[in-house]
Amino acid sequence: MTTLADVAALAGVAKSTASRALGRPDLVAPETVARVRAAAVQLGFVPNRAASHLARGDSGIVALVVPTLDNAFFTPIIAGAQARARASDLQLTVAVHPLDDADDIVDLGRLMRQVDGCILVAPRAPDVVVREVGAFGPTVLVDREVAGMTSLVADTPRAFADLAARFADDGHRAIAYLGGPEGSWQDAQRSAAIDRAVGDRVALTRLGPFPATFAAGVGAADAVVTSGATAVVPYATSIGLGLVFALRARGVSSPGEIVVSAERLVAEAIGADEVPAIDVDGDELGREAMAALVDLLATGADAGERRRLDVAVHWPETTPV
């Protein structure tokens, strides 16, 4: 079986240099790295990643923690984070922790002792709990902000404000916002942004809180109709889809009598080109969060950097009133 010593001999370098070239190429001259890698390919050598991480005093494993797997919003975030972790020679493990009781925090603390760092998606946990998790080790927050912690947020509050303002500009005088889960940080941000965007130009009805599910949208239909709203901005696309289904079942055209915003991919998938849509790049959110975590692990940089990623709004030519 080919060994690291064989690779080093073929490349004409010391075994320690070959090890660094394969495991920490940033510490070795580029031409040496290229020569060692060429030798490894020629000999069919596959390095032992676990041993490499052990030698550096780390596990080579990072965690991405989500509150549930029921919300499809998390799926592209996981995919993006995994791709970026792989590029950094890290293994990603995904864990579900809603952080709604003490036992869950203890379980997450046990996980954190076995990994090098964590990307945390915790939309509903109190700040004090999020900080407690952050104290376990290097942590990057996704889609919420807590003072003193590194975070990546998709700027959906601004996008939701743009949607509501445009609805008002187009003549809608009654708008409904279907809120998200109780205690959600993003829900509070989106609700406040919508309020600031429309001011007293429209009658704004806030409904909820709702879980981010299709069933919740179905259940909200009667309240939406009663509100008199002609435009609706739902917290999550799943809620909006349930609402549209229920409205059509009642003979209410949507879009038409009531316009319901959605995510762009969903709107395109159902052929609803006339529906205003936002475009959250979950893959980018995951990749950038992992890049931030890699920086924390590699440089020991101070935590606390906050970044907001732009969220595009796609508007049809007309939105019937």
Side-chain angles (χ1 to χ4, degrees):
M1 183 177 67
T2 302
T3 67
L4 182 61
D6 298 325
V7 173
L10 181 59
V13 299
K15 182 178 176 181
S16 59
T17 300
S19 177
R20 286 193 295 273
L22 294 174
R24 290 295 302 274
D26 54 306
L27 301 178
V28 182
E31 59 273 16
T32 302
V33 172
R35 196 163 69 250
V36 171
R37 286 180 174 173
V41 171
Q42 181 177 335
L43 296 174
F45 175 73
V46 179
N48 187 326
R49 300 298 184 190
S52 299
H53 285 290
L54 184 61
R56 297 201 299 266
D58 56 46
S59 69
I61 303 172
V62 291
L64 194 158
V65 177
V66 295
T68 177
L69 293 177
D70 292 335
N71 191 339
F73 177 74
F74 303 137
T75 304
I77 294 175
I78 293 171
Q82 181 169 291
R84 183 60 180 82
R86 184 185 302 113
S88 297
D89 192 27
L90 294 170
Q91 175 66 45
L92 178 68
T93 184
V94 178
V96 177
H97 290 282
L99 299 178
D100 53 11
D101 58 47
D103 288 341
D104 204 30
I105 297 172
V106 171
D107 289 343
L108 181 51
R110 187 178 299 113
L111 170 66
M112 289 289 286
R113 288 192 291 272
Q114 301 175 57
V115 299
D116 299 330
C118 171
I119 293 175
L120 178 63
V121 186
R124 298 176 59 189
D127 285 0
V128 64
V129 172
V130 174
R131 289 194 182 95
E132 186 175 350
V133 173
F136 290 138
T139 302
V140 173
L141 294 179
V142 166
D143 235 25
R144 77 173 292 171
E145 295 171 342
V146 171
M149 298 184 70
T150 299
S151 61
L152 267 293
V153 172
D155 199 0
T156 49
R158 182 195 58 76
F160 276 45
D162 288 349
L163 282 171
R166 180 62 182 269
F167 276 139
D169 292 344
D170 281 2
H172 292 273
R173 290 295 168 258
I175 298 174
Y177 171 63
L178 303 189
E182 186 173 5
S184 164
W185 182 87
Q186 272 283 12
D187 179 55
Q189 297 286 312
R190 295 172 186 178
S191 179
I194 290 172
D195 195 37
R196 291 191 298 268
V198 300
D200 58 2
R201 291 192 294 160
V202 304
L204 178 61
T205 301
R206 297 180 185 82
L207 300 173
F210 296 112
T213 63
F214 183 91
V218 172
D222 287 341
V224 169
V225 172
T226 300
S227 75
T230 56
V232 179
V233 181
Y235 170 85
T237 293
S238 53
I239 298 175
L241 287 174
L243 173 62
V244 170
F245 173 83
L247 290 175
R248 291 176 177 178
R250 288 165 170 74
V252 178
S253 62
S254 180
E257 296 174 72
I258 300 178
V259 182
V260 182
S261 64
E263 276 186 77
R264 186 182 184 186
L265 289 177
V266 173
E268 291 176 348
I270 63 176
D273 296 333
E274 68 274 38
V275 171
I278 63 173
D279 193 3
V280 178
D281 191 338
D283 188 272
E284 180 190 19
L285 190 57
R287 282 188 280 107
E288 292 300 315
M290 182 58 69
L293 180 58
V294 169
D295 286 345
L296 286 179
L297 297 175
T299 66
D302 292 336
E305 179 186 7
R306 297 184 182 185
R307 286 185 57 201
R308 289 203 171 196
L309 305 181
D310 289 339
V311 174
V313 179
H314 300 270
W315 204 268
E317 292 184 4
T318 58
T319 53
V321 178

